Amino acid sequence: MKWKRVIVWFRNDLRLHDHEALVRAIEHGLEVIPVYVLDNRQFGETSFGFPKTGPYRTKFLLESLTQLRSRLKSVGSDLIVRKGLPEEIIPEIANQYGAGGVYAHKEVTEEELKVEKALEKALFKSGIDVELVWGSTLYHLADLPMPVRSLPEIFTHFRKEVEKFAPVRSTFPTPESIPTPYIENPGHIPSVEDMGMSLVEIDTRAVLDFKGGEIEALERLQTYFWEEDRLREYKETRNGLLGQGYSSKFSPWLALGCISPRHIYKEVKRYEKMRKKNSSTYWLIFELIWRDYFRFVAKRYGNLLFLEGGIKGEYGNWQVDWARFEQWKDGMTGIPFIDANMRELKETGFMSNRGRQNVASFLVKDLRVDWRMGAEWFESTLLDYDVCSNWGNWNYVAGIGNDPRENRYFNVISQAKRYDAQGDYVRHWLPELESLPNGYVHEPYEMYPSELKSYGVSLGGNYPHPIINQAKSARTYARKN
C-alpha cells in the first residue's frame, strides 16, 4: 500500500472494466478519488475556426460521464467533475483531499502530452507523484516486437509482426467496490447547452441512436455479437451504408474508452469458441489492429501527423479554398454519393468507413482542397473522433502517410455504383432525388439536365450549381459510362 489516498484521472477511458489505472490505484491507496476535467481547450476552435468538439460528440461525452458516475456510485464511489484546466484543478483536489498520487492512462499526441507535463510539473511542487500507464490499444506498447522508432512503414508488415510475436494481454477485472472518501461537492455534469451549444436531436434517418457510456457500449456488443449474430458476416457487410447492422459501430465507444479493445478481442475469441470462427471474426480483430497502428504511428511521428506535408513531408497541389470546402461540407457538390455521405455526417455525426474514404479522396484529389480542412472538420463533427485514427487516415488518403501507393484515389462514381447499386443510400439522404431511376441517381447532375427536369428534379433553389467542373476524373467517368 503506497498512499492513503490517490486520484484516478479519467481521460479517454470512461469505463470500469479493463481499466489498469483504476486497478493500480486501488492496489496502492486506501481510498480512491475519481476525477474528470472538462478541459476548456477541447471546447475551443481548430486552426480553421471550427468548434474543436461539436455538439454530437459533446452530447455523447456528457452521457458517458453520467453513466460513469452512476457506475462508480454502484460500487461505493463517485466522480468529481470540473470544468477548466486539469493541471490547475487536479492539484487543488489532491491538496484538498490529501492525495499522494495521481493515476491515469497515457496519451500520445501533442495537446494531451502538454497537459500531462504541465500536470506533473504542478504536482511535483506538492510532492505528489503521477503514474501514467498504457491502456488504449489491443497490443500493449511494451509487447511490440519492435521499438516504436522502428515501426514498419506499411501496415501489413506491422500486422504480421504483432500477430506472430506479440501477445494480447488479459483484461483487468472490474472492481466490485472502490473505497472513496466522502465527496461533498462532486460537481454538476453540464448539459450541451451549458457547454455553449444548441441541443442536438439526431436525425431519425440515422443508422443508430448512439448513447454514450460503458453500459451502452457493452449492450451494443451483446446485441451485435450474440443477439443478432452479426459478427458471423462482418467482413461481407462492413462496407454497408444503411441500417444499424452493417458494421459493429463500436468506434464512438472506443474513442472515449467506454469499451476496451481487449474486451472486444476477448468476446470475439469467446464467439469463435461458442459459435463460429471465420474470416469475419478475424476481420474485426484486423480492424482493431489498424486502430493500434495509427496510435503507434502517432507516437512515432508526433506533430508530423498534423503538418501540411504529413508523415512523408510531401506537398500536393491542394489549397485553402473555402467555396469548394463549404459545398463539400454541406453536401452540395453535385455528386450525389458525396453529398449523401456529407449530409449524413452533418445531421448525425456519423458516416460509414466507406463513405469517409470517398469523401476524403474527393476533397483532396478531385477538389484539390487542403486535406487539413477536412481533417479538422471531421474532428469537429465526428461522434467517434479519435485523434490518431482521424489524422492517420487523412494522411493516408492524401498520400502523405503510411501507404506505399503514392496516389490513393477513389473514383467516387464507380464506388457509388458498386456500394449503393440501387441508389437507396443516396435517396435516403437526398430526398430531392427520390424520383430518379437507378440509371441516373449516381451521375453528376450537370450531365443530364433535361432528364432531371422530366423526373421532377430541380437543381434550382435548394440545390446550387454543381462543382463537377472541379472534379474532372468523376466527370470523365460519367461521360464514358
Side-chain angles (χ1 to χ4, degrees):
M1 207 160 291
K2 205 168 182 181
W3 299 291
K4 180 180 178 181
R5 286 178 179 169
V6 295
I7 287 173
V8 172
W9 174 30
F10 283 89
R11 305 176 78 186
N12 292 314
D13 50 2
L14 306 183
R15 63 180 186 271
L16 298 192
H17 75 273
D18 194 28
H19 197 294
E20 183 175 358
L22 180 60
V23 170
R24 297 294 180 226
I26 294 171
E27 290 175 350
H28 292 158
L30 285 174
E31 295 180 316
V32 174
I33 306 162
V35 176
Y36 185 88
V37 182
L38 290 156
D39 193 326
N40 292 333
R41 291 162 296 206
Q42 294 302 313
F43 295 90
E45 290 186 346
T46 69
S47 64
F48 285 104
F50 310 134
K52 196 166 178 65
T53 304
Y56 295 118
R57 187 151 47 92
T58 297
K59 178 175 178 288
F60 194 83
L61 168 62
L62 299 177
E63 290 169 347
S64 299
L65 290 177
T66 299
Q67 200 162 98
L68 176 62
R69 173 175 280 174
S70 176
R71 293 273 288 150
L72 286 165
K73 284 184 174 181
S74 73
V75 291
S77 186
D78 204 340
L79 179 67
I80 295 178
V81 177
R82 298 287 188 267
K83 191 172 184 291
L85 303 180
E87 62 267 33
E88 294 178 0
I89 290 173
I90 291 176
E92 291 176 1
I93 296 173
N95 288 319
Q96 178 186 351
Y97 287 92
V102 174
Y103 285 82
H105 280 122
K106 189 170 183 57
E107 293 290 336
V108 297
T109 46
E110 182 188 31
E111 291 178 0
E112 292 78 10
L113 292 177
K114 281 183 175 178
V115 177
E116 289 177 12
K117 291 178 181 178
L119 177 61
E120 288 176 329
K121 183 178 180 180
L123 289 171
F124 178 77
K125 296 177 181 178
S126 300
I128 300 171
D129 292 338
V130 178
E131 296 207 13
L132 300 173
V133 298
W134 188 269
S136 58
T137 52
L138 179 63
Y139 292 101
H140 196 284
L141 175 66
D143 297 333
L144 294 184
M146 76 289 289
V148 168
R149 66 178 178 274
S150 301
L151 193 76
E153 295 289 343
I154 299 172
F155 167 72
T156 301
H157 296 170
F158 169 79
R159 175 182 60 79
K160 290 180 177 179
E161 288 290 300
V162 294
E163 286 179 338
K164 186 175 182 179
F165 297 110
V168 175
R169 295 186 179 186
S170 299
T171 56
F172 285 89
T174 302
E176 295 182 0
S177 65
I178 302 176
T180 300
Y182 171 71
I183 297 174
E184 183 177 355
N185 178 27
H188 170 66
I189 296 176
S191 65
V192 174
E193 294 92 335
D194 292 336
M195 300 300 292
M197 305 175 198
S198 299
L199 180 65
V200 291
E201 291 189 12
I202 303 298
D203 195 294
T204 56
R205 294 171 293 176
V207 293
L208 194 67
D209 184 11
F210 291 98
K211 301 289 186 185
E214 179 180 13
I215 298 300
E216 296 288 341
L218 297 176
E219 287 181 352
R220 173 60 186 172
L221 187 150
Q222 175 70 19
T223 298
Y224 187 81
F225 280 19
W226 303 105
E227 294 175 9
E228 297 183 355
D229 200 24
R230 294 188 183 275
L231 180 57
R232 184 185 301 267
E233 55 181 12
Y234 171 76
K235 187 178 180 181
E236 291 73 33
T237 62
R238 65 192 175 89
N239 282 311
L241 299 165
L242 286 170
Q244 61 86 19
Y246 67 76
S247 67
S248 71
K249 300 181 177 63
F250 295 152
S251 57
W253 292 288
L254 277 167
L256 283 182
C258 297
I259 193 168
S260 153
R262 286 194 300 236
H263 178 76
I264 296 173
Y265 176 87
K266 183 175 72 172
E267 285 294 290
V268 171
K269 292 302 176 181
R270 186 163 76 93
Y271 181 95
E272 289 179 339
K273 288 181 180 179
M274 296 182 65
R275 293 197 178 171
K276 188 175 182 62
K277 180 178 181 180
N278 61 13
S279 60
S280 286
T281 58
Y282 167 74
W283 210 261
L284 196 138
I285 296 172
F286 176 93
E287 298 292 356
L288 290 175
I289 300 174
W290 254 118
R291 180 177 176 273
D292 273 17
Y293 183 61
F294 280 132
R295 185 156 293 262
F296 295 127
V297 164
K299 183 169 177 58
R300 176 182 176 182
Y301 291 101
N303 283 346
L304 290 178
L305 204 63
F306 309 105
L307 301 181
E308 183 181 356
I311 290 171
K312 290 183 177 179
E314 298 177 0
Y315 299 86
N317 60 346
W318 47 72
Q319 58 188 304
V320 176
D321 187 320
W322 282 100
R324 297 183 191 181
F325 175 79
E326 290 290 337
Q327 287 182 286
W328 175 83
K329 173 179 75 72
D330 292 331
M332 294 295 210
T333 68
I335 307 296
F337 191 58
I338 298 300
D339 294 342
N341 276 286
M342 293 307 296
R343 300 237 197 129
E344 180 181 16
L345 175 62
K346 188 175 182 180
E347 298 300 327
T348 70
F350 190 80
M351 186 195 302
S352 70
N353 180 61
R354 179 57 48 183
R356 296 180 201 203
Q357 293 180 71
N358 274 273
V359 301
S361 174
F362 185 77
L363 181 73
V364 177
K365 301 296 177 63
D366 286 319
L367 301 185
R368 301 296 182 186
V369 171
D370 190 323
W371 67 272
R372 294 170 299 172
M373 298 180 79
E376 286 191 11
W377 181 243
F378 272 23
E379 176 177 355
S380 179
T381 54
L382 276 175
L383 188 66
D384 59 359
Y385 171 73
D386 173 284
V387 57
C388 303
S389 295
N390 182 67
W391 289 86
N393 270 307
W394 276 94
N395 268 245
Y396 186 79
V397 169
I400 53 175
N402 298 83
D403 191 343
R405 291 170 290 184
E406 293 183 2
N407 185 27
R408 186 172 179 79
Y409 176 75
F410 285 79
N411 187 310
V412 298
I413 307 299
S414 175
Q415 288 271 305
K417 291 180 176 179
R418 178 178 178 183
Y419 293 103
D420 185 31
Q422 304 303 313
D424 295 334
Y425 176 74
V426 161
R427 293 189 187 91
H428 187 73
W429 287 104
L430 304 180
E432 60 267 43
L433 303 184
E434 63 184 6
S435 61
L436 279 180
N438 294 350
Y440 293 115
V441 74
H442 287 307
E443 304 295 347
Y445 298 162
E446 74 169 10
M447 297 296 100
Y448 51 97
S450 59
E451 290 90 342
L452 283 172
K453 187 174 181 181
S454 69
Y455 285 103
V457 178
S458 172
L459 294 186
N462 293 331
Y463 211 93
H465 293 295
I467 53 175
I468 187 62
N469 59 304
Q470 282 126 17
K472 294 181 180 179
S473 297
R475 179 173 57 186
T476 300
Y477 180 90
R479 285 177 172 168
K480 288 181 179 179
N481 295 271

